Amino acid sequence: MSYISAVDHLYALGHELAPTLSPTATPTPRRKFDLAHMRALMAALGDPQKSFPSVLIAGTNGKGSTAATLSSILTTAGYRTALYTSPHLIRVNERIQIDGTEIPDEDFARLYFQVDDAANRLVAAGTLPHHPSFFEVLTALAFVYYAEQKIDIAVLEVGLGGRLDATNIVDPLLSIITDIALDHQDYLGNTIAEITREKAGILRPNGILITLPQHPEANQAIGEAAATLNLTAISAAPYIPPTPQNRVSHLSDSSTVAEVGESASEPLPHNHYTLTLDNQPLEINSPLHGQHQQRNIALAIAAAIALRNQVSYKSPTTSNQNGYNITNAAIEAGIRNTRWPGRLELLGGTPPILLDVAHNPAGAWSLRAAIAQLPSNQPRTLIFSCLRDKSLKEMTQILFPLFDSTSGEPERIHDHILLAPIDNPRASSVEDLLAAAHALDIPAHAAPHMAAALAQARAVTPANGLIIATGSVYLVGEIRHLALHPEANPA
């Protein structure tokens, strides 16, 4: 079977976060997840997840950046490193990588139908009550691929929550919890404490936890979980610089140059600072922008240090009994070589485009902090959309006032807000997006699709201005693809 057939078959499974529709178009209840189902599927596939050690990362924001940074460090140190993330920006293969290279199409197709066949046999036998979900199938596919490729270690980003997430069938060397905020309340709970308890489901008895001080409710819930599991908790706080860093670099230092083939001064401060590790200076020079990334970098450093100290973890699945040989130089180079597009990523052009996957209020606040560091007299155009299960009202309250052309601020009179639907069944409607802007009495205009929104943004934004695209991973992926591949733009 072809790669296209595999991808079409995968997407036909539907998205597990949305209600499914019966043949009569009546919504059916959302699926209830059970790790026993995932374990049954993996057992039928030979339990590939037991053949490699792993690091498991849960949280609301920063999971992907932390995972990408740690994966880059391990690859730079010479280890064959798998990286599993979600969602993807453009192609589903992005989720399954080894040493920065996506799974090839032919391997994806072959393994997809291998997993699908195993699932169908289990359903026919009554072992599974229904076919595994989109994410469960992808996770199983990834684990089979990683086992086949004989990786040294896998860095796994949890998809949703932690306790019942498909990735949580591994026995991780380390469990990392990034910053926690309100998101996916329908699944995880209505308070920070409830959500944290779900994410703390990735912790193991006598295991290792790496995290940072954060919201008091999250701190308390993590502490309570740690106490009952007798685990070792490691704080990454020593690896956060003591004062904000404001050094500005140029696009020639950034990963985006190779992608857009242009150079220009970057509008945002660069995360370039020096820490002390083992009484030696550790130079941090990350291509990931925004002060919030310093927390994610700190978590990756703390994880790398824990991995190189063999006494801090057990590894029954590998012959590595002396810890991972991760030097300070490898940590520096790995951070410097991290690739994680769509996170305050600047694409050159006239005008340039700033992409950021701020998909919840916490992410919107981080983006707002970054926008505050832009030149105040620079005209800006916002392209915004989000999924309907996100906090549209709160996100627009955070971001839209920064682009209000009627605010009376002279610097903002040339600003614009453009709204368009995301190509996703969970997308907010244009009517809902416009209503959110009207509720704030802020001008906004609608476009029929993202290609039209990008074309309109380019038309109304001066050459010295900036287009900012945000609100969803799916929006950023679509705008990024259109910007880097103009031939795909039908507008």
Side-chain angles (χ1 to χ4, degrees), residues 328-344:
N328 287 8
I331 293 175
E332 288 182 337
I335 292 171
R336 189 168 58 248
N337 295 332
T338 300
R339 300 292 178 263
W340 194 230
R343 283 75 184 171
L344 288 177

Side-chain angles (χ1 to χ4, degrees), residues 363-382 395-407 409 411-417 440 442-443 466 468 470:
W365 278 116
S366 293
L367 174 58
R368 180 171 175 141
I371 292 173
Q373 299 179 72
L374 297 172
S376 61
N377 61 348
Q378 184 179 39
R380 309 166 187 161
T381 297
L382 175 68
M395 293 171 68
T396 54
Q397 287 173 340
I398 295 167
L399 293 175
F400 283 17
L402 304 182
F403 302 83
D404 184 1
S405 60
T406 63
S407 65
E409 299 179 27
E411 298 90 348
R412 304 276 62 84
I413 60 174
H414 298 296
D415 286 9
H416 303 273
I417 297 176
L440 298 171
I442 295 176
L466 180 68
I468 301 175
T470 191

Side-chain angles (χ1 to χ4, degrees), residues 124-173:
T127 306
L128 290 181
H130 46 65
H131 195 284
S133 69
F134 178 105
F135 188 76
E136 287 169 332
V137 168
L138 268 183
T139 303
L141 190 164
F143 289 171
V144 174
Y145 179 62
Y146 296 153
E148 281 188 355
Q149 296 296 313
K150 301 186 185 306
I151 62 167
D152 295 315
I153 188 169
V155 180
L156 310 174
E157 178 190 358
V158 169
L160 174 67
R163 182 175 62 92
L164 297 177
D165 190 80
T167 60
N168 200 31
I169 62 167
V170 301
D171 186 16
L173 303 181

Side-chain angles (χ1 to χ4, degrees), residues 198-240:
E198 286 294 314
K199 295 182 184 295
I202 70 167
L203 304 180
R204 297 293 186 268
N206 304 308
I208 305 297
L209 161 67
I210 296 176
T211 191
L212 280 166
Q214 48 179 299
H215 192 285
E217 289 185 38
N219 291 338
Q220 181 175 346
I222 292 171
E224 291 170 352
T228 62
L229 295 171
N230 190 39
L231 54 72
T232 300
I234 299 173
S235 173
Y239 310 112
I240 295 178

Side-chain angles (χ1 to χ4, degrees), residues 37-366:
H37 300 163
M38 188 65 184
R39 292 191 178 99
L41 175 61
M42 299 315 298
L45 294 166
D47 280 326
Q49 78 283 0
K50 295 181 179 180
S51 69
F52 53 82
S54 59
V55 174
L56 199 51
I57 305 177
T60 304
N61 292 305
K63 294 179 296 183
S65 297
T66 302
T69 303
L70 178 58
S71 174
S72 182
I73 291 171
L74 287 162
T75 294
T76 302
Y79 294 98
R80 189 161 172 76
T81 305
L83 175 64
Y84 182 61
T85 59
S86 62
H88 56 276
L89 288 175
I90 299 172
R91 300 181 78 237
V92 69
N93 303 49
E94 297 169 23
R95 300 176 182 228
I96 304 171
Q97 300 185 24
I98 296 177
D99 292 341
T101 300
E102 299 171 11
I103 181 173
D105 290 357
E106 56 271 22
D107 287 326
F108 186 99
R110 173 178 58 85
L111 295 177
Y112 174 80
F113 288 108
Q114 179 181 331
V115 172
D116 185 62
D117 288 345
N120 289 332
R121 289 194 301 271
L122 292 171
V123 173
T127 306
L128 290 181
H130 46 65
H131 195 284
S133 69
F134 178 105
F135 188 76
E136 287 169 332
V137 168
L138 268 183
T139 303
L141 190 164
F143 289 171
V144 174
Y145 179 62
Y146 296 153
E148 281 188 355
Q149 296 296 313
K150 301 186 185 306
I151 62 167
D152 295 315
I153 188 169
V155 180
L156 310 174
E157 178 190 358
V158 169
L160 174 67
R163 182 175 62 92
L164 297 177
D165 190 80
T167 60
N168 200 31
I169 62 167
V170 301
D171 186 16
L173 303 181
L174 308 173
S175 298
I176 302 174
I177 297 181
T178 67
D179 289 342
I180 296 174
L182 293 175
D183 201 7
H184 296 301
Q185 287 98 312
D186 287 351
Y187 283 87
L188 304 180
N190 293 314
T191 67
I192 294 292
E194 290 175 341
I195 292 172
T196 303
R197 283 192 284 270
E198 286 294 314
K199 295 182 184 295
I202 70 167
L203 304 180
R204 297 293 186 268
N206 304 308
I208 305 297
L209 161 67
I210 296 176
T211 191
L212 280 166
Q214 48 179 299
H215 192 285
E217 289 185 38
N219 291 338
Q220 181 175 346
I222 292 171
E224 291 170 352
T228 62
L229 295 171
N230 190 39
L231 54 72
T232 300
I234 299 173
S235 173
Y239 310 112
I240 295 178
T243 56
Q245 305 296 314
N246 293 309
R247 177 184 292 188
V248 177
S249 68
H250 300 279
L251 257 176
S252 57
D253 297 325
S254 170
S255 63
T256 55
V257 173
E259 297 164 321
V260 301
E262 298 188 31
S263 64
S265 295
E266 292 201 43
L268 295 173
H270 199 52
N271 280 311
H272 190 178
Y273 48 89
T274 302
L275 303 173
T276 300
L277 181 58
D278 296 337
N279 297 316
Q280 298 292 325
L282 186 76
E283 184 180 6
I284 307 303
N285 189 2
S286 172
L288 304 183
H289 298 286
Q291 188 175 338
H292 64 283
Q293 289 289 1
Q294 295 172 9
R295 294 176 62 83
N296 305 323
I297 294 166
L299 290 167
I301 294 172
I305 294 169
L307 286 170
R308 76 184 185 188
N309 295 327
Q310 186 271 336
V311 295
S312 69
Y313 62 88
K314 298 177 293 183
S315 181
T317 58
T318 177
S319 59
N320 175 13
Q321 298 300 317
N322 299 310
Y324 289 83
N325 183 21
I326 306 171
T327 64
N328 287 8
I331 293 175
E332 288 182 337
I335 292 171
R336 189 168 58 248
N337 295 332
T338 300
R339 300 292 178 263
W340 194 230
R343 283 75 184 171
L344 288 177
E345 178 188 21
L346 185 72
L347 302 183
T350 307
I353 303 171
L354 184 66
L355 304 172
D356 192 58
V357 297
H359 59 91
N360 55 34
W365 278 116
S366 293

